[in-house]
Structure formats: structure tokens, C-alpha cells
Amino acid sequence: MEPFLRERFGNASEPHWAGREARAGLTDARRRAAGALGCRARDIVFTGGGSEADNIAVLGRCGAAQGRVVSSPIEHPAVGRALAALAERGLEVVLAPVDAEGVLDLEALADLVRPGDRACFVIWANNVTGVVQPVSAIAELCAERGVPLHLDAVQAVAGVDVDLAALPGEVTIAVAAHKLGGPKGAGLLAGPGIGSLCPCLHGGGQERGLRPGTEDVAGAAACATVVERAQTAEAHRSLLRELRDQYESTLGERVEGVRFASAGAERLPGHSLTLLDGLRGDTLVALLDREGFAVAAGSACSSGASDPSHVLQAMGVDRERALGALRISLGDLSEPAHVPALVDAVERAVVPLRAAAAAL
Amino acid sequence: MTDFTLAGCIQAPDGDGAAGGSACGDRVRITLRVVGEQIVGARFGALACPAATAAAAWCATRAQGRPFLAAARLSVSDCLRDLELEAARADCALIALDALHAALGDALSRVALASAPERVVVAMSGGVDSAVALARTHASGADAVGLTMRLWIDPAAPDASRACCSPDAVRRARDLCHSLGLPHITLDGREAFRAAVVDPFVSAYAAGETPNPCTRCNGSYRLDAMVGAADALGAPVLATGHYARRVRRGDVALVARAADPAKDQSYMLARVRPAVIERLRFPLAADTKDAVRAEASSQGFAAAGVRESQDVCFLGGGDLRGFLVRHGFDDEAGDIVDETGAVLGHHAGAAAFTPGQRRGLGVAAAAPLYVLRTEPARGVVVVGGSERLQRGQVDLRETVLHLPLRRVEAKLRARSPAVGATIEPLTGPGRLRLLLDEPVSAIAPGQTAALYDADGAVVGSGIIDAG
């Protein structure tokens, strides 16, 4: 990444020597990302991040807000809100249900996806529960009906093998570099479905006309590097899975009233969504923050009202329990010693919060 | 700064306050143990966002081990500053502070602070008059403590925030105290107020009378409760923002007309007992409303911009009839009749009519017709010409005379001038007759008659009887 911010600072679209140097870097990045993800180099479009990649896919399939699309109730807002905005302008958006584990109901999906639909949008691995969807089956049923499929793979690339060559049909995926340890503001859209997307941004025609503007060579190079690394880190994934399982089993033994969302489904290896009775997850997060742990809640007090996660709501988790969600993501910076420390910290923090709730 | 180990609740606490639960769903509870002047124990309960939970823990931490009045000084801005919360989190902190102040108010009945001769409790409604009363008391060097009573909540009212002592009004009063570094106490008088003022108000209408809830509230509930609070706080006197004077006739303390006749509120205080008047102070006695409003504006008080309430405080912006129906008075439609009993029209419910009323009858007649009286038991409204409203005498019940006078000036409703009258005894406890110097129109049974001496002091009062 760094050379493209310093000595090789050319514009990759210019024919002169400096441009050629930058262009070589971009080509190399595209080739490496394609290799890691199992697609052709021309089917990589570098973007300014995951949300942008999702929006280019959504608008590229149904920007005219006509026709019908199928999606899920557990999408990241980059897809969910983009579809909702188009639905207000006339797009018909049909949501296939998920089960209590947060896994898409494939039978329902097969009934809902119909030939002629503009597209199907599914989050490959969920950002709240970590649940990995059965994307091979989903891609197959979409391909059988001739319906393009966009997968939000922002979470998935870190934890599962992504092989676009194995997915039939007009598939696209969205990837964000920062989820893999790369810089914020870099991402990509990839897959053979790219060729049939309509441009929603207009300019100099860079990145197959889908993401015009002078290319961010440094970002692309970094994005390719972290995607390659993530896709060859099976040993690291095993370690994360082990640490996650250790966290869940010790916490489950030490603290009453705890369960782990989607524990029966395939999940991202370093991901756990802990549901704690009798407290508010966002408040627990604040106490853990005081102890140095950067963890998340399954909800946020955004507009003056505490809204439980839409993902948990779709799974049928009741409101009170959904508000007690604590989301743990283990990653590059996680060490084995962090897990017992985290369990201790959760155990300590839960005591006053539950006492406070019980005092009402 | 915040001790989360104070999570929990004190069993059989001296003070117990809860807040929240409406807008965002967050809830906070504070329980207190008070010994003497000290809060020796404080615990917090919360199921709330991080900011409100931290604020609840802060309230318990800052209250425990502190004097009662020091805790009553704790403000939203103190909390935001200590916890380094952004201003956008003020509403979260407010839930915790509301709970703390509710707990302090609840504890008041179990607190007895040592007598402090310089202490003045200032009765605050959240309005401009009491804001200026507080500021002047503070400026005089007295040890001022703000006191606001929560009297009523009627969520079904069209504009609940306009009802007396709404949460906004309480917070306005509290904020003003805190901005001056003064303690503030909120007394929850809602249940007692219903029993003492609202229920009698509804039953008076049901009996065909036109009650005056304000004189009743001041005379038999609110000021007694606040003087009781002043006792608990060790304060010899209670200052209010009324436009009235306190005078002495021999040993008796009486309320007298204010300097500004346009704003005089002595009538509203006519039923207050001399023993209570003895404790009252009126810092606005010599002022005009305009001067008070200008003073509040110049000091930047939020209350300066608050619209003045003219209605009965608990109606909450709604109409009387809707209120009576909401509060269990089952009024029925019936006839509008003349004095011979001839049916002239129909009404939807007799209770909301008052003598002298002309509007809303819907009866066409050659000469204008006025309500003479209502008889809810029979479901009729009796109407007649204006000459039939004139009366030269009026009987009073529940009378109190502080001085043995025979000649008085009688004020028979809030917005009409007093007329000269001679008192004539009647048999029966608390009963007397006023022989009016000139006939008065539209005298309404149930209203308060305030009896003044020649120098404007209220020397007695009674309730106008249907006679």
C-alpha cells in the first residue's frame, strides 16, 4: 500500500511513466484479489468500501425502482436500507424468513424467488449473529431461475472460504478491507454478475464504469493483500473458533441466564452473540469499555428509543432478551489470554447491572 | 465518581423515587436511607442506556453520605460534567435526576432538619411569578430552598403539559434553583390532591354547583402541605409568588389585596387559615405583573416565556365537560326548561352549565335567556331572563370569620368586583346571610365568597349556598 502513497503516486489512468507505474500496481491488486476470491481479474471492481459496493450492486440491479427483488430481514443496512429507499419509490421487495437460529429458510426462498425478479440479496455471514448462510444452495436456486444474486460478504471473507467459481449464476459479492485488517475506505465488488450491473455513478468510466473516479491504487493494493491473507488463514480461523468456543463455554458455566444466539448454526469462527437476561447490552458494553474491552451491543439507543437488533427480531427473540445482547468479535489482535480476562470482566460487570435491574 | 456497587435497593427505604418508562423505555429507581440531616445510604436501580445507568449510579454515589439539602442541589448539568457526557445525553441523565429528586421528596415526610431561622422555602410552580419570588428571596440573603408540588397528571387531557405542575414545570423550577446553586424539593401530592380537590370538584358539579377548586386547594390542601414541608426542612417561613399582602389585625395574620388591583390574588387565598398565613411571605406583594415579567426576562429565566395559566390548573387545556366525563361523572342529556317547567330545548349534560351562562344553550327566544341554575338530579337546566339572575342576598355555608365584623365587602367570584354587604346571622353551624347593598347578577352556588374589611384584608369567607 505504502509505495502508492509515496514514490509511485501516479494517476493509473494516465499513459505516462508515472501512470504506468500506478496502473501496474492496480493490475497486480486486481489479479491478486481475483485469485483469492476465485473470479476473473476483470470481475473485480475496487470501491470505497463495503457499503459502497453493496449500494452499487443494489442500484445496479434495481436503481429504476421497478420490478421485484427478494431479500432477507437480516441484511446489513447497506443493503436493507438501500432496498427500503427503492421500495418507497415503487420497487417490490419481498423478504424471505429466517429460522430461530437466523438461517434463511431455503424452502421459502425457493418459493419466493421467481424468474424475472431483478435480483436476490443475501448477507453471506451476518454481522450481528455471525451466521453463515448456505450460499451454494442459494446461488443454485437463483441460477436455476435466472435471477442475479448479490451476497454481502463483508463479514464472510474473514471467516469462510470464498470461491466465486463454485457459485453458479450471475453472482456478485461486496467486500470491505477494514474488516480484514486493511484500511477504512477501501473495498471491492467482485463476481461474474458484475457485467450485467447498470452503472449508478457516472464519470470517467474507471472500474468498468461502475466506480468512476481516479483509482485509489494504494487502497486497492491493500484490499487485495488483506483479502489474500484472509483467504489463506485457515490456522488462524481454527484458533479463533477455539477461543470463541472457550469464551462461550466458560461464560456459560460462570454466569447464569446466558445463551448464545445461533449457537446451533454455522457461524464465523471468532464471532459470538451473547444474550444475557436482566440487563441492557449497551450498558454492559460501556462497563466493559472501562476495562479495556472493545465489544459491541446487539442494539443501540439511536433515536431516543432503545431498538433491539432487527436481526434478533427477525429470529423471534423477544424484545427484553434482544436488548441484552453482547457481540464479541475476535480477530487479529485477539490473544488466548484475552478470553479468560473477558469472561472475568463480563462476570464482574453483570453483577451490578443485574442488581440494578432487579431493584426496579 | 460513580460506584456501581451501589446497585440495588434499600429495604423499607426512607425515600423511594422512580422515573422513566415512557419515551425511551429506560427506567431508574433511587432509594435512600436518611438519618437526621444525612443521607446515610443510597442505592440505584436501572434498566437503561449506558448514560442513564451511569447517571443513576452517579446519583446514588453523590447522595450517599451527604446532607439532605446537598443532595437536593444535584443537577443534570453537574451529572453531565462529572460523567463527561455530551449535552445530547441530557435526557438520559434527567431520568436519573428525576428519580433522585422523587426519592428526596418522598423522604421529606421522614426528615426533620434542624430549625434554621434564615431558611425560606419558596413555593415554585415553574411559572414566572414564583421564579422571581425565588430570585428575590435568594438575593435578600436568605437560605432559599425551592419546593414544587406535583399535583396532577391526566394523560388523557388534550394538553397534559399545560396541567398544573407538569413534569416540565417541575424541571423548570428545579433547573432555576440549581442554576442559582440552591436545593430543590419535589413533593408528590397527586393522590392527596385528587382526594382533597379534584373529587370534591367533580361531586360539586354533580350536585349542581359551580365549585372554585383554587380557593379550596389553597385553603385546605396545598399551602398546608407546603408549610408542613417547610417544617420538615427547618424553615420558619414559606414564600410564594402570589400577588397579595400579609397584614395583621391584632394577633391575627390575614391576607390582603395586592398593590396591583389588576393582578390581586387575595381572593384565591381567601380560605387559607390564619395559622398558615402566619407562616407565609409574599415577595411580589407590591409589584405589577409586567414588572415581574421584565425582571424574569432580564435575568434570563426560562419561566419568563411561559404562557400564563388562566384555566383551572388540572383541566390541562381541555373543556370542563370532557374532564367531568373522564373523571367518573356520568352526566346525562336532558331538558332546558323555564321557571314554570316548560321545555324550551335540550342539553347534552346539565353539570357543565353555570348560572349567568348564555352561550351554548341553543334556545331561541324573544329576549336573551340565561342559565339560572342547574338541577343535575332531575337532569334539567333552568333558564330565564337577565332580571331573574339578580339577587339582593346570598346565604353562605362553611363560613369562617377571623374578625367579628358586621359590615364587609363581599367578593362573590374571582372576576367580579366586591360589593358592600351586611352580615346577618343564620341558624346552623357555619351559616350566615349577606344582605347586599346592591343586587348582584348570576351568583353561583359553590363559589367562594371572600369577605374583606375596608382596608382590603380578607376577614372571612364562606361557600355560596343554593339557599
Side-chain angles (χ1 to χ4, degrees), chain B residues 33-65:
Chain B
R33 170 78 60 232
V34 186
V35 173
E37 309 219 350
Q38 284 298 109
I39 296 172
V40 296
R43 294 290 182 276
F44 74 96
L47 191 54
C49 72
T53 306
W58 179 87
C59 283
T61 310
R62 291 291 304 268
Q64 178 161 280

Side-chain angles (χ1 to χ4, degrees), chain A residues 53-342:
Chain A
D54 278 328
N55 272 269
I56 292 171
V58 170
L59 293 167
R61 291 291 177 210
C62 43
Q66 287 163 1
R68 179 178 185 276
V69 299
V70 180
S71 185
S72 85
I74 59 167
E75 295 303 301
H76 186 277
V79 169
R81 291 205 185 142
L83 289 175
L86 293 170
E88 280 182 15
R89 289 166 41 199
L91 180 70
E92 185 186 353
V93 179
V94 181
L95 301 183
V98 297
D99 66 15
E101 297 282 309
V103 180
L104 213 52
D105 180 338
L106 283 181
E107 278 184 30
L109 189 69
D111 286 343
L112 290 174
V113 177
R114 303 194 303 230
D117 285 347
R118 294 295 165 118
C120 180
F121 297 91
V122 173
I123 184 163
W124 188 328
N126 188 264
N127 57 310
V128 176
T129 60
V131 165
V132 179
Q133 300 296 338
V135 293
S136 296
I138 295 169
E140 239 162 68
L141 75 88
C142 288
E144 281 167 11
R145 291 160 179 75
V147 174
L149 172 66
H150 174 72
L151 298 166
D152 175 352
V154 168
Q155 300 284 336
V157 178
V160 300
D161 288 331
V162 173
D163 183 9
L164 285 166
L167 299 177
E170 288 179 275
V171 173
T172 50
I173 65 169
V175 176
H178 79 271
K179 288 286 180 190
L180 310 168
K184 287 108 188 148
L188 59 81
L189 187 62
I194 275 178
S196 54
L197 288 175
C198 292
C200 61
L201 301 168
H202 303 279
Q206 291 92 336
E207 298 297 307
R208 294 187 74 176
L210 291 171
R211 210 285 185 172
T214 298
E215 300 89 338
D216 173 10
V217 180
C223 187
T225 300
V226 293
V227 167
E228 279 184 305
R229 192 184 60 168
Q231 286 296 299
T232 53
E234 181 48 44
H236 183 59
R237 286 185 213 160
S238 304
L239 172 67
L240 293 183
R241 185 174 290 112
E242 211 171 286
L243 293 179
R244 190 268 314 274
D245 291 349
Q246 188 195 336
Y247 159 78
E248 292 189 346
S249 61
T250 39
L251 190 71
E253 281 165 20
R254 302 246 300 266
V255 179
E256 298 274 305
V258 167
R259 78 183 181 86
F260 301 97
S262 307
E266 186 193 347
R267 285 183 292 165
L268 292 172
H271 197 108
S272 174
L273 186 70
T274 312
L275 302 179
L276 296 112
D277 294 343
L279 54 77
R280 286 274 304 268
D282 50 354
T283 305
L284 178 59
V285 165
L287 290 193
L288 294 172
D289 175 46
R290 300 190 340 166
E291 307 227 14
F293 292 98
V295 291
S299 65
C301 171
S302 44
S303 53
S306 298
D307 296 321
S309 150
H310 68 287
V311 175
L312 292 173
Q313 284 179 302
M315 291 160 59
V317 177
D318 71 64
R319 186 175 187 278
E320 282 306 309
R321 178 165 263 176
L323 286 172
L326 175 70
R327 185 166 38 145
I328 308 284
S329 311
L330 303 168
D332 286 350
L333 302 174
S334 305
E335 293 169 17
H338 292 168
V339 168
L342 174 62

Side-chain angles (χ1 to χ4, degrees), chain B residues 9 12 34 40 77 81 109 170 182 196 203 251 264 276 297 379 413 415 429 440:
Chain B
C9 65
V34 186
V40 296
S77 48
R81 188 191 56 237
S109 61
V170 171
L182 302 175
S203 22
D251 287 341
D264 169 44
V276 171
S297 292
R413 59 170 69 203
R415 285 173 213 141
V440 171

